[in-house]
Amino acid sequence: MTAAVQTPFQRIASDFAASKLALLGFAMLVVVIGIALFAPVVSPQNPYDLTQIDVMDSKLGPGEKSMAGQTYWLGTDDQGRDMLSGIFYGLRISLGVGVLSTILALSLGILFGLTAAWFGGRIDALIMRICDIQLSFPAILIALILLAMLGQGVDKIIIALITVQWAYYARTVRGAALVERGKEYVEAARGLGLSSSRILFRHLLPNVLPPLIVVATVQVAHAIALEATLSFLGLGLPITEPSLGLLISNGFQYLMSGKYWISFYPGLALLLTIVAINLVADQLRDVLNPRLQK
Amino acid sequence: MTEYIIRRLLQSSLVLVAMSVLVFAGVYAIGNPIELLVNPMADDAERARVIANLGLDKPLWEQYLTFFKGALTGDLGKSFVFNVPAVGLILQKLPATIELALCAMVIAILFGIPLGLWAGLKPDSIAGKTIMAGSILGFSLPTFWVGLLLIMLFSVQLGWLPSNGRGDTVNVLGFEVSFLTADGLSHLFMPALNLALFKLSLIIRLTRAGTREALLQDYVKFARAKGLRASRVVGVHVLKNIMIPIVTVIGLEFGSVIAFAIVTESIFAWPGTGKLLIDSITSLDRPVIVAYLMIIVTLFIVINLVVDILYSVLDPRVRLGQGAGQGAH
Amino acid sequence: MIPRFIRRLAIVLLASTVALATTAAHAARDISIGLQAAITSMDPHYHNLSPNNSMMLHVFEGLIKRDENQKLVPGLATSWKAIDDLTWEFKLRKNVRFHDGSPLTADDVAFTLKRVPNVPNSPSSFATFTKPIVDVKIVDPHTLVFKTATPHVLLPSDLASVMIVSKLHGEKATTEDYNAGKACIGTGPYKYVEFIPNQRVVLKANYGYWGGEEPWDKLTFKILTNAAARVAALLSGDVQMIENVPTSDIAKMEKDKNLSVVSKVSNRVIYVHLNQSTEKSPPFVFDKSGKPMDKNPFRDVRVRKALSMAVNRDAIVDRVMEKKAVPAAQLLPDIFYGTSKKLKPTRFDPEGARKLLAEAGYPNGFSMTLHGPAGRYINDDKVIQALAQFYSRIGIDTKVETFPASVYFNRATNLEFGYMLLGWGTESGEQASAMRSLLATRDPAKGMGVNNRGRYTNPAFDKLLEQALVTMDDKKREGLIQQAAEMVMGEVGLIPLHYEVSTWAAAKGFKYTARTDQYTVATSLKPSK
């Protein structure tokens, strides 16, 4: 097969594989996603099933055995939950929450940001003032209001995270789009009589996307960390179904007592996940960016 | 330009009203502060007295009207908990938070832009890769976790820096600041660093991305071909190209740093507004929450206005307050 | 411009080194203490809240004081007695002076009692304690006679919660005047220096104190809400003592030779209210298939017993509380007045619990959501998860939902939950007032069952309790209270879990005498030899 008949996908794949670091990140990400998807299969224990955990096994160190003879390779937390299983299940929730809320918030942000930049005037003013309000509402207050009105749950946390983040994207998109709007290619497209939506999504969007992808990949990590912070403040997920963030904040108070594993391993898992996401995203951004192609 | 600014200010007052309505309704939805204020031993008569005293027995719209009338005369109400004017309480704490936020921002910009430039100019060098990998650390770990690790290292293990508080302050132009005393600086360092880490990573990454793109733009290629010195190419052409997204994000982040330094302030017991806000939210001290958010919104409005004006200064192609769609017709 | 700036910086630096040197000389007598919760005011009658009450004990004093075991001891009154069922006589201590040098007289006491119910905008007043007194008579400058409308045996205990202020400074004073220090003038061992809300309180020694000189010149109380930050502040030497040491750190700190850790069982019981207000299923309680049931299972004493038997209190104390708790059998540890030594914590018996459930008609259990606060009581979120484990083992499908205090207590008061984890600290130190608030049939007009969120009701128990509350004879009253406690605990009116143990940690060279009321007072902190 010659380069001439390469499909776009093949081209992206080969460009991507040019960086060994990115390949490593990709491999890590595959493992992480695999674990998240198949957590119930690969975990020694279902950490969310109350009948399977025993408070008498709590705070065992890595490698210690339970009263029933099961070995806890990464130790147990303060409820007697197997840390390894807890991390696998927690990964599933954290990734889900982080990715889903970022994608949804990003989409909302793009929609409102582009609209504001394109139409300008009253619409721009209205959207931007809503953003002002949204951005000055502290995440913790939004989370508390939603918790009081809707109760606890993964879906509620996702709603809270979207509410907190969309305006952020909207402003960033608007800023980038305002610049692009004045450039020659947009003027040219308009001169050709193309429809607004066509110019917006076919011409403007690809050009404002690169800085946005930077922000978004950082924000997936930020969303996961934000969820952890909300959990730390008691506003996060149900405590019997901990995410990575909740595991970290639960273990936080044991950091000084020498029981490092309760917080350390979930922290490590979170770190690796985010590194993997970013290694892949960094390379993807360079590969996909129409202006960076060699 | 003047007309544009006036229009923005008019919109802003509407934003303030909308904001206050939202906060009123939101705090009302969370619950009644009475349970947290009144000693559990109090009987129902005492409870009723306090409820009536705080005006909580009236319908929400009436409570809001009372607030609104007061707000027009500049009175945003008294704290339920402290019984002192909410604005006074906030203004007492605001300098500490602004100082912390400014320091964090300065750290982030001072280190972020050069590191980002370096990584962008030499993306394949070891230094460039290390900078990028290191920047991931900045936002992948929760703030509270990093904060405690900093305390454990610098205060408990090494004993170099104090673990909490603000230290000695000096009065400058009527504001208490701590960055002018050695003691104050030592108190300031860790919380500012803790708060700066996330912004630092973000700025590094944005700068790098912007730089890489700029290097491929025709005018930069052209400037390079013309034999301009590398420093001038970077200083004038590249920096200019990456400024817009960075200014946006700095504007956003500066606001959020001021508003939401909650976690950092509570871990380092920094006596700022973030700690006041979280305490007020936990005790449902509505007048303080409302007044606080009004002040923050005002702050945001000003910052955003400055950012928008900066756009037009940085890039003459950005036309303020005028849509492309409209221009076409 | 620049040299001037540098010069100024140099002066500042020099000044701070000099300041550092001078503080070092006094360091031993100037101490800092890390507190968990903020002080909301320096007005002793503004906000009836534990952190405030604890702080006020430094500046002000009551007629009667409570010692570290909450036993009543003479304060500004040297003696008091009930002349008849409705009349009390109090003798004031002589030669007591306020911080400004003016002497304490009966006028100040009468003024205090008048001020207490009339503090504007008080979010929780002390009027509850002074309300029973309908008439105050000043017999001479050091003798007062109080009249009550009905026999009120708890009067001495109530008055121990009322701080005496100076009439001279208090007459025109507002809460702001107290906060600013202008009116914050008491008779206590420390004087006001500075109060910054949410940040710190600074006090200095009152050298002419009638009770003898204190070992400290200056006290700085820092508000360090975050537990880890509090511990770090102690370990790094920024403060000399902290309160509420997180249980996770206690074991390691106890082994540290540079620290002294003290703990003591407190007057706070952690318990469960079971919502018995509804005829049918209470909120969040369903049958196994998730449908509401026709009967409220919590109204059946066998179910309540089963839910108590299923709890492994020793496991909670040992594993969740790191041994810093004591299994509970009633509402106060049995060192307190009105508690029964016959009551023992319910034995852990999951088999027995299953059997009782079957007898009550739930052989396969049912399903419920446990509700509790997050961060209000020590390890509350961990305790409730452990409870969920225990219940899932006896066949009850259990879920857990926790809320911040701001959301939780409102909803609990509105009876929006079925199974509620709660806590109660008995400031009076006797069991009748706790039972009156938590277990008596709810009757707001009479002040009965104000916090009875389970809506448990038992007329026989109410009668016993009401009788006890008007019996003046201490011995006879205690017998009645004990009888009532045995009756209501036998019926599992609520499920007592454990008593909290409060812990303080101090740096080497300091010794704190632990208290049952969870208060942190510098008068209990002495240099150790």
Side-chain angles (χ1 to χ4, degrees):
Chain A
M1 199 182 279
T2 61
V5 289
Q6 254 189 344
T7 63
F9 179 76
Q10 279 169 330
R11 183 199 48 85
I12 290 170
S14 72
D15 277 2
F16 184 88
S19 162
K20 285 199 187 94
L21 208 58
L23 272 184
L24 176 74
F26 184 71
M28 274 163 64
L29 196 60
V30 168
V31 172
V32 164
I33 293 174
I35 288 175
L37 286 178
F38 299 105
V41 185
V42 292
S43 301
Q45 183 193 64
N46 177 356
Y48 300 165
D49 181 356
L50 292 168
T51 54
Q52 287 192 29
I53 59 175
D54 190 338
V55 73
M56 295 310 285
D57 288 336
S58 65
K59 287 166 269 186
L60 294 176
E64 283 185 51
K65 280 189 168 40
S66 74
M67 305 209 296
Q70 187 190 352
T71 309
Y72 297 118
W73 296 109
L74 298 184
T76 60
D77 72 357
D78 52 30
Q79 290 296 317
R81 216 174 265 123
D82 174 32
M83 285 311 298
L84 187 67
S85 312
I87 289 171
F88 287 174
Y89 273 75
L91 201 59
R92 190 180 161 97
I93 293 194
S94 285
L95 260 188
V97 167
V99 172
L100 215 66
S101 68
T102 305
I103 291 177
L104 291 174
L106 185 64
S107 317
L108 270 180
I110 289 176
L111 190 67
F112 284 108
L114 282 184
T115 313
W118 184 255
F119 293 105
R122 293 234 170 99
I123 296 176
D124 180 31
L126 181 69
I127 292 178
M128 282 306 108
R129 296 304 79 76
I130 294 177
C131 285
D132 287 347
I133 296 181
Q134 177 62 64
L135 286 169
S136 27
F137 242 86
I140 166 174
L141 189 61
I142 293 173
L144 187 59
I145 293 171
L146 288 175
L147 180 70
M149 296 198 315
L150 306 173
Q152 248 172 359
V154 176
D155 44 342
K156 281 103 189 173
I157 277 293
I158 293 179
I159 295 177
L161 291 177
I162 295 172
T163 319
V164 171
Q165 296 184 84
W166 75 268
Y168 193 99
Y169 294 117
R171 270 203 81 90
T172 317
V173 171
R174 174 180 172 271
L178 272 183
V179 177
E180 296 295 326
R181 201 185 62 181
K183 289 193 175 160
E184 294 81 359
Y185 72 94
V186 177
E187 299 285 349
R190 208 188 281 138
L192 286 173
L194 296 180
S195 72
S196 283
S197 63
R198 195 180 154 89
I199 301 177
L200 269 180
F201 291 101
R202 297 291 289 275
H203 298 274
L204 258 179
L205 187 58
N207 281 294
V208 299
L209 219 46
L212 215 58
I213 294 178
V214 188
V215 179
T217 48
V218 171
Q219 288 290 327
V220 168
H222 189 49
I224 293 176
L226 189 61
E227 184 271 309
T229 305
L230 289 179
S231 297
F232 173 68
L233 297 169
L235 299 168
L237 294 161
I239 46 177
T240 45
E241 295 174 14
S243 62
L244 278 187
L246 192 52
L247 286 174
I248 295 174
S249 65
N250 276 343
F252 174 74
Q253 56 169 296
Y254 295 97
L255 271 179
M256 278 195 277
S257 65
K259 298 189 175 74
Y260 67 93
W261 62 89
I262 307 179
S263 196
F264 177 74
Y265 290 125
L268 193 66
L270 180 64
L271 187 65
L272 289 178
T273 307
I274 290 174
V275 168
I277 294 177
N278 280 284
L279 287 178
V280 172
D282 279 354
Q283 184 71 4
L284 260 189
R285 186 191 51 225
D286 290 355
V287 170
L288 290 178
N289 189 341
R291 280 178 280 173
L292 277 184
Q293 275 163 35
K294 292 150 207 169
Chain B
M1 191 62 136
T2 327
E3 189 208 326
Y4 171 74
I5 294 177
I6 291 172
R7 208 169 53 233
R8 275 289 284 270
L9 290 178
L10 277 178
Q11 289 168 9
S12 306
S13 41
L14 284 179
V15 166
L16 282 177
V17 175
M19 183 76 184
S20 60
V21 172
L22 276 175
V23 180
F24 245 77
V27 177
Y28 182 78
I30 297 172
N32 190 334
I34 211 72
E35 288 288 334
L36 304 165
L37 284 171
V38 178
N39 192 297
M41 281 190 294
D43 54 15
D44 287 34
E46 164 70 3
R47 259 170 228 235
R49 182 195 67 78
V50 177
I51 290 174
N53 192 2
L54 298 176
L56 296 170
D57 52 341
K58 301 199 184 81
L60 189 65
W61 61 267
E62 211 179 316
Q63 295 180 37
Y64 181 76
L65 221 62
T66 316
F67 161 80
F68 191 76
K69 280 187 202 140
L72 286 182
T73 63
D75 171 19
L76 293 183
K78 274 184 168 185
S79 156
F80 288 164
V81 176
F82 296 103
N83 194 28
V84 295
V87 174
L89 202 60
I90 295 161
L91 291 183
Q92 189 185 12
K93 309 273 181 197
L94 202 56
T97 297
I98 291 188
E99 180 175 23
L100 181 63
L102 275 176
C103 283
M105 231 42 226
V106 167
I107 293 179
I109 295 170
L110 229 52
F111 291 92
I113 292 184
L115 287 175
L117 271 177
W118 188 283
L121 291 172
K122 303 206 161 99
D124 297 318
S125 69
I126 293 182
K129 283 183 176 160
T130 315
I131 291 170
M132 286 309 283
S135 76
I136 296 177
L137 285 176
F139 53 81
S140 52
L141 295 171
T143 316
F144 60 90
W145 215 63
V146 177
L148 188 67
L149 290 182
L150 284 176
I151 291 181
M152 280 175 65
L153 181 65
F154 289 112
S155 302
V156 179
Q157 295 299 328
L158 300 171
W160 291 351
L161 296 169
S163 68
N164 67 78
R166 201 175 169 201
D168 298 338
T169 54
V170 192
N171 197 310
V172 176
L173 304 171
F175 294 105
E176 294 291 321
V177 296
S178 37
F179 74 95
L180 288 178
T181 69
D183 183 54
L185 265 183
S186 70
H187 281 84
L188 188 57
F189 180 70
M190 277 200 293
L193 182 65
N194 189 217
L195 202 54
L197 277 182
F198 177 77
K199 331 286 161 206
L200 178 63
S201 305
L202 199 62
I203 291 179
I204 289 180
R205 301 173 81 77
L206 277 170
T207 311
R208 173 185 178 270
T211 309
R212 290 207 61 194
E213 260 187 53
L215 288 179
L216 296 163
Q217 301 269 341
D218 292 335
Y219 61 87
V220 175
K221 283 184 181 160
F222 181 66
R224 276 179 152 179
K226 233 170 50 176
L228 284 181
R229 268 183 316 157
S231 63
R232 187 171 160 76
V233 174
V234 171
V236 176
H237 298 284
V238 175
L239 263 184
K240 204 167 174 189
N241 190 56
I242 61 178
M243 268 309 162
I244 290 252
I246 290 181
V247 166
T248 312
V249 169
I250 288 177
L252 279 175
E253 290 294 330
F254 183 65
S256 74
V257 162
I258 293 183
F260 319 130
I262 294 175
V263 173
T264 301
E265 286 191 4
S266 65
I267 296 235
F268 292 95
W270 186 262
T273 46
K275 204 164 161 291
L276 177 69
L277 178 67
I278 191 162
D279 289 341
S280 304
I281 290 177
T282 9
S283 55
L284 295 181
D285 195 347
R286 192 182 63 203
V288 180
I289 305 178
V290 175
Y292 180 82
L293 292 179
M294 304 292 274
I295 292 176
I296 291 297
V297 172
T298 314
L299 212 64
F300 266 93
I301 289 171
V302 172
I303 291 176
N304 287 342
L305 191 59
V306 171
V307 168
D308 279 350
I309 292 171
L310 271 183
Y311 280 160
S312 67
V313 173
L314 285 171
D315 192 335
R317 283 171 299 184
V318 176
R319 283 160 301 175
L320 289 174
Q322 188 177 354
Q326 290 166 332
H329 298 293
Chain C
M1 192 68 199
I2 291 168
R4 207 165 78 203
F5 169 75
I6 291 177
R7 212 162 51 223
R8 201 177 293 161
L9 191 70
I11 293 171
V12 169
L13 283 177
L14 196 70
S16 54
T17 14
V18 173
L20 217 70
T22 38
T23 40
H26 288 286
R29 286 178 61 94
D30 291 357
I31 55 168
S32 295
I33 295 174
L35 299 181
Q36 179 178 26
I39 314 297
T40 64
S41 173
M42 290 301 277
D43 178 344
H45 306 142
Y46 171 69
H47 200 174
N48 182 10
L49 190 78
S50 298
N52 286 24
N53 299 350
S54 159
M55 180 58 63
M56 288 308 131
L57 292 178
H58 296 92
V59 181
F60 297 94
E61 292 170 292
L63 290 175
I64 298 168
K65 292 186 173 192
R66 295 197 180 95
D67 69 2
E68 65 265 21
N69 294 318
Q70 278 180 274
K71 264 185 55 194
L72 300 180
V73 294
L76 294 179
T78 46
S79 67
W80 59 91
K81 60 173 189 265
I83 298 173
D84 60 51
D85 276 9
L86 302 176
T87 316
W88 294 77
E89 188 193 70
F90 279 74
K91 289 269 183 207
L92 289 190
R93 192 177 294 278
K94 285 173 187 151
N95 303 323
V96 173
R97 288 184 180 278
F98 284 100
H99 296 158
D100 66 338
S102 60
L104 166 87
T105 66
D107 276 343
D108 297 307
V109 178
F111 167 74
T112 298
L113 293 177
K114 221 164 65 203
R115 181 176 191 266
V116 165
N118 296 311
V119 179
N121 296 329
S122 158
S124 179
S125 95
F126 290 75
T128 329
F129 303 119
T130 57
K131 205 158 54 180
I133 300 175
V134 290
D135 184 48
V136 179
K137 211 159 73 199
I138 299 174
V139 179
D140 66 51
H142 293 99
T143 313
L144 290 122
V145 169
F146 302 142
K147 282 270 185 201
T148 61
T150 50
H152 187 64
V153 294
L154 291 179
L155 190 75
S157 160
D158 280 355
L159 287 179
S161 299
V162 177
M163 299 293 114
I164 304 299
V165 297
S166 149
K167 184 182 178 188
L168 179 67
H169 298 281
E171 210 143 35
K172 286 196 192 91
T174 58
T175 296
E176 286 86 87
D177 292 329
Y178 281 91
N179 288 345
K182 214 171 93 190
C184 193
I185 290 165
T187 57
Y190 290 95
K191 296 186 204 178
Y192 176 101
V193 176
E194 185 186 36
F195 164 62
I196 304 178
N198 264 352
Q199 190 177 342
R200 64 167 179 263
V201 177
V202 183
L203 306 175
K204 64 175 183 216
N206 167 19
Y207 293 114
Y209 181 55
W210 62 266
E213 201 169 299
E214 287 289 317
W216 316 118
D217 288 329
K218 189 171 144 204
L219 304 174
T220 306
F221 294 91
K222 296 185 181 177
I223 312 301
L224 302 170
T225 318
N226 185 279
R230 218 158 47 241
V231 172
L234 177 71
L235 294 179
S236 60
D238 291 337
V239 298
Q240 281 69 51
M241 183 173 81
I242 56 169
E243 62 178 4
N244 294 353
V245 185
T247 55
S248 50
D249 291 325
I250 293 175
K252 194 172 173 221
M253 290 171 84
E254 277 174 338
K255 281 188 212 131
D256 192 332
K257 286 199 185 65
N258 292 316
L259 299 173
S260 95
V261 180
V262 290
S263 49
K264 185 167 208 161
V265 68
S266 75
N267 62 14
R268 186 182 298 280
V269 64
I270 302 301
Y271 67 91
V272 171
H273 259 326
L274 299 168
N275 187 343
Q276 294 152 61
S277 68
T278 55
E279 208 50 67
K280 296 182 176 168
S281 263
F284 294 100
V285 177
F286 305 100
D287 67 8
K288 279 262 178 174
S289 62
K291 284 196 224 60
M293 293 179 283
D294 290 340
K295 271 195 315 187
N296 182 341
F298 298 154
R299 285 194 171 182
D300 189 326
V301 65
R302 288 169 297 190
V303 174
R304 299 202 297 267
K305 264 192 188 135
L307 292 182
S308 184
M309 282 159 76
V311 176
N312 187 348
R313 290 174 176 75
D314 292 330
I316 291 181
V317 167
D318 193 52
R319 293 297 159 141
V320 179
M321 305 299 287
E322 313 255 358
K323 303 194 172 64
K324 295 298 175 193
V326 174
Q330 44 199 327
L331 302 182
L332 273 174
D334 60 13
I335 49 170
F336 285 95
Y337 180 85
T339 52
S340 165
K341 296 241 189 266
K342 280 188 215 150
L343 291 170
K344 296 277 175 260
T346 311
R347 206 170 53 84
F348 172 52
D349 179 7
E351 274 317 302
R354 267 178 190 278
K355 243 188 250 158
L356 272 176
L357 277 185
E359 262 176 51
Y362 307 96
N364 298 315
F366 47 90
S367 74
M368 64 178 173
T369 304
L370 316 184
H371 284 97
R376 175 65 187 84
Y377 312 114
I378 302 174
N379 295 345
D380 46 13
D381 55 335
K382 300 185 173 58
V383 171
I384 200 164
Q385 287 186 73
L387 289 171
Q389 284 186 21
F390 301 144
Y391 292 133
S392 61
R393 296 232 160 75
I394 61 164
I396 298 176
D397 287 343
T398 316
K399 279 208 251 347
V400 174
E401 214 172 12
T402 55
F403 293 103
S406 49
V407 175
Y408 178 70
F409 288 101
N410 269 301
R411 295 187 62 181
T413 301
N414 294 339
L415 304 182
E416 288 176 35
F417 303 134
Y419 182 107
M420 298 167 260
L421 180 74
L422 291 156
W424 184 261
T426 309
E427 224 166 291
S428 63
E430 49 77 58
Q431 187 153 244
S433 66
M435 290 197 294
R436 176 181 159 169
S437 185
L438 301 182
L439 286 163
T441 305
R442 190 169 153 81
D443 182 353
K446 281 201 279 177
M448 302 294 275
V450 173
N451 287 288
N452 184 351
R453 294 188 174 103
R455 295 293 190 269
Y456 167 81
T457 170
N458 178 349
F461 163 74
D462 292 343
K463 230 175 110 192
L464 258 178
L465 190 61
E466 273 175 44
Q467 197 187 339
L469 289 171
V470 294
T471 304
M472 297 294 274
D473 181 85
D474 277 354
K475 209 84 235 122
K476 224 170 112 194
R477 185 170 74 249
E478 183 162 29
L480 287 168
I481 301 173
Q482 286 166 339
Q483 210 183 326
E486 285 156 21
M487 177 189 285
V488 75
M489 289 303 149
E491 281 217 314
V492 201
L494 54 72
I495 304 175
L497 297 175
H498 58 264
Y499 310 114
E500 285 186 349
V501 167
S502 0
T503 308
W504 291 264
K508 198 176 170 176
F510 297 88
K511 194 180 175 336
Y512 190 70
T513 309
R515 301 173 61 94
T516 52
D517 53 15
Q518 306 194 312
Y519 285 1
T520 300
V521 285
T523 44
S524 295
L525 183 66
K526 304 279 180 232
S528 64
K529 273 134 214 163

